[in-house]
Amino acid sequence: MTNWTRKALLLALSTAAAAGTLAAVGTPVAHSRPAGAAAAPLDWGPCAPVPGTTVPAGQQCATLRVPLDHRAPGGPTVEVAVARLPTDRPEARRGTLLVLAGGPGGSGVQRLAQKGEALRAATEGAYDLVGLDPRGVGGSTRAGCGIPEADRHLVTLRAYPAADGSITENTARARRTAEACARDGGPVVRSFSTRNQARDIDRLRAALGERKLSVWGHSYGSYAGAVYAQEYPDRVDRLVLDSVGDPDPARVGFGWLANTAPAVALRFPDFAAWAADPAREAEGLRLARRAEDVKPLFLALARELDRAPRESGTPGVPLTGDRLRQALQNSLMSDRSFPALAGLIRSAREPEGRPALPPELAGALPDEDATLTMAVVCNDVRWPGPHAGYARRVAADRARYPLTAGMPVNIAPCAFWKYDEEPKATRITDDGPSEVLIIQSLRDPATPYAGALKMRAALGERARMVTVDQGGHGMYLGNGNACGDRAVSDFLVTGDRPAGDVYCTD
């Protein structure tokens, strides 16, 4: 019996004795008794509009104040934006389900607005649904490093090598970005980390008046959820990890990015088969007669754009080979994005075409957004230093995985990051309650299946895993798999996990 299990058993027995009875196994329990540090209740009010999203009727918003440094709870504070969609079936309510978005940089407030109605229906009103913007995101306290605009495009934040494979420019950019954050980022930027997000979540739990939270984490949010459950095991009710990465502290950040090279290679055939399907002919989106011809066509176009970028529909922002590669990576997240990618490729191959860039590639990110996406992974764990053989890694990766051109293993500002103290990532273990369900697609281009298997192994009997035989990133209520959706919804509503791992094909 683990130490945690012994403690949990003693706590359960003493609580039951005080109550005079033991609850029957499987009986729903409302987790409404606070635990840990006290927190002032939230002052809920109307939500501001979310761009591009219809906010569900009844959704409320509030601001939570948390310590800038949790080791100094009486010191300066930062604000965390929170949203809530109360259950529409109060008689069925059993607690609160926290929705954690991906990223780093994703907004939980926005994700709740996007998924709230579907989630409330899928969980049969069993939860008040809550989302938060982690510090640095959306409506929460933000901070930037003063990164120049040219360095804040997605294809410069993600370090694509030069057309000849050189990383000289990448190295210079990484150094000046890290120096800017060390000079101008300040204590708020240094506070952006997964561990602080977990601490903020626990303050939110207390402010909600809950003894435990259930959590649905998506992508990076699933890692944040796993860290919260590891750091506060007695304060998590049911935990869903949706599209999760390798939790090995030595692989956090740098390893996650490196894993996307083989992941994109594994996912690309799904797009190739779609783009070669005769059904695309009538749509004007068929790229080749055979699926095996789509990859060489794409690579040839990317090389051509490396040599001669094309004027796009966005003045001053050409379609380059790297923007095409990044558009591919983004589009592989869901089959629903395949038509837009095929249209971009067709337009780029036409002599008079003026390709329409996806919005995320048509301009620079705001300084605060660019800062946050880097700062979290840099603050979480020390990356290999600037002399760790990045050029050699890039050359090997470009040869093996040409679709991503060496970007996933290239140097980043984290190689030059300055630390006040040595960072230490949380190690996920099997020491804790068995309340975790992982859901993962076989061909995920962002958090590949091999990494999710490592999370499954790390959690041991704490977890069960639902494998979905399809491609895409974000499975629950995301890519249309009825079997996977049903398994997660049943777990959230009843608490019943599958007896063993599950394989879904429909």
Side-chain angles (χ1 to χ4, degrees):
M1 184 181 293
T2 64
N3 288 335
W4 191 94
T5 306
R6 279 192 289 269
K7 292 176 184 175
L9 181 58
L10 289 172
L11 176 63
L13 290 172
S14 62
T15 301
T21 185
L22 286 172
V25 174
T27 301
V29 178
H31 297 292
S32 58
R33 290 186 289 109
L42 295 166
D43 183 15
W44 297 102
C47 295
V50 177
T53 303
T54 301
V55 176
Q59 183 163 311
Q60 305 164 318
C61 287
T63 298
L64 174 72
R65 283 204 164 270
V66 297
L68 172 63
D69 184 345
H70 283 270
R71 297 167 302 181
T77 61
V78 294
E79 293 184 346
V80 172
V82 184
R84 176 177 70 174
L85 185 61
T87 177
D88 56 354
R89 295 175 55 189
E91 73 283 358
R93 184 189 184 277
R94 70 174 315 277
T96 293
L97 175 61
L98 177 65
V99 177
L100 297 179
S107 165
V109 171
Q110 183 176 41
R111 186 162 179 81
L112 183 62
Q114 294 166 341
K115 297 288 186 179
E117 292 286 13
L119 183 58
R120 187 159 63 176
T123 56
E124 302 175 9
Y127 299 95
D128 291 338
L129 307 176
V130 171
L132 87 161
D133 287 351
R135 57 175 74 189
V137 175
S140 298
T141 296
R142 290 155 61 80
C145 295
I147 303 170
E149 181 179 352
D151 293 347
R152 289 190 269 112
H153 287 258
L154 197 51
V155 293
T156 49
L157 285 169
R158 296 191 172 182
Y160 285 93
D164 63 358
S166 167
I167 69 167
T168 302
E169 186 176 350
N170 303 130
T171 302
R173 181 183 297 117
R175 183 189 297 275
R176 67 174 172 260
T177 300
E179 289 175 349
C181 286
R183 182 181 62 247
D184 302 323
V188 174
V189 169
R190 290 194 290 275
S191 80
F192 295 156
S193 71
T194 305
R195 277 194 163 180
N196 273 337
Q197 183 174 341
R199 293 163 179 145
D200 294 348
I201 289 171
D202 203 55
R203 285 294 185 116
L204 172 61
R205 175 202 56 76
L208 292 169
E210 298 284 19
R211 183 168 61 87
K212 291 187 176 185
L213 292 175
S214 291
V215 180
W216 170 32
H218 164 257
S219 191
Y220 164 74
S222 64
Y223 174 70
V227 169
Y228 179 64
Q230 189 70 42
E231 299 285 345
Y232 302 93
D234 58 339
R235 298 177 191 175
V236 175
D237 182 18
R238 297 167 186 172
L239 173 63
V240 175
L241 306 182
D242 184 350
S243 304
V244 68
D246 184 348
D248 183 346
R251 301 288 295 169
V252 168
F254 177 73
W256 292 343
L257 190 56
N259 285 346
T260 61
V264 167
L266 184 65
R267 169 67 163 146
F268 186 85
D270 291 342
F271 171 70
W274 181 93
D277 190 322
R280 307 284 85 78
E281 202 77 66
E283 303 164 359
L285 296 175
R286 194 177 187 191
L287 299 180
R289 298 292 172 183
R290 302 183 307 164
E292 56 264 37
D293 294 331
V294 176
K295 181 177 178 180
L297 178 154
F298 179 88
L299 293 174
L301 177 59
R303 289 192 296 268
E304 179 185 332
L305 292 169
D306 284 338
R307 294 188 297 269
R310 292 285 300 278
E311 185 178 352
S312 77
T314 304
V317 185
L319 176 61
T320 62
D322 292 338
R323 284 195 171 88
L324 181 68
R325 295 180 183 101
Q326 189 59 52
L328 167 69
Q329 192 167 3
N330 294 351
S331 298
L332 294 179
M333 301 294 184
S334 171
D335 292 7
R336 292 187 295 272
S337 299
F338 287 178
L341 176 62
L344 179 66
I345 294 170
R346 286 292 297 265
S347 179
R349 298 183 73 213
E350 293 172 0
E352 302 302 320
R354 182 171 290 189
L357 295 177
E360 66 272 15
L361 297 178
L365 275 68
D367 182 36
E368 294 87 352
D369 290 347
T371 295
L372 183 281
T373 60
M374 293 180 308
V376 172
V377 292
C378 293
N379 287 333
D380 271 1
V381 64
R382 187 177 291 276
W383 286 39
H387 304 297
Y390 285 97
R392 173 180 49 79
R393 289 193 184 105
V394 165
D397 213 57
R398 282 168 64 84
R400 188 174 183 184
Y401 303 112
L403 289 169
T404 45
M407 178 274 292
V409 298
N410 203 355
I411 196 165
C414 304
F416 298 96
W417 208 251
K418 303 294 191 296
Y419 297 97
D420 294 335
E421 61 182 71
E422 187 66 20
K424 184 180 180 181
T426 297
R427 181 171 294 279
I428 306 300
T429 75
D430 61 356
D431 189 11
S434 299
E435 85 295 48
V436 185
L437 188 67
I438 301 169
I439 182 167
Q440 185 79 25
S441 81
L442 275 178
R443 298 179 300 282
D444 188 319
T447 53
Y449 189 64
L453 287 176
K454 292 182 178 179
M455 177 65 85
R456 172 70 181 86
L459 289 167
E461 283 303 305
R462 293 179 65 187
R464 296 290 184 268
M465 185 165 177
V466 178
T467 296
V468 180
D469 186 5
Q470 67 182 68
H473 181 61
M475 285 294 105
Y476 183 51
L477 305 180
N479 272 280
N481 184 270
C483 169
D485 287 352
R486 187 166 53 249
V488 174
S489 295
D490 286 350
F491 169 64
L492 288 173
V493 172
T494 68
D496 294 334
R497 296 188 312 172
D501 291 350
V502 174
Y503 190 88
C504 286
T505 57
D506 62 337

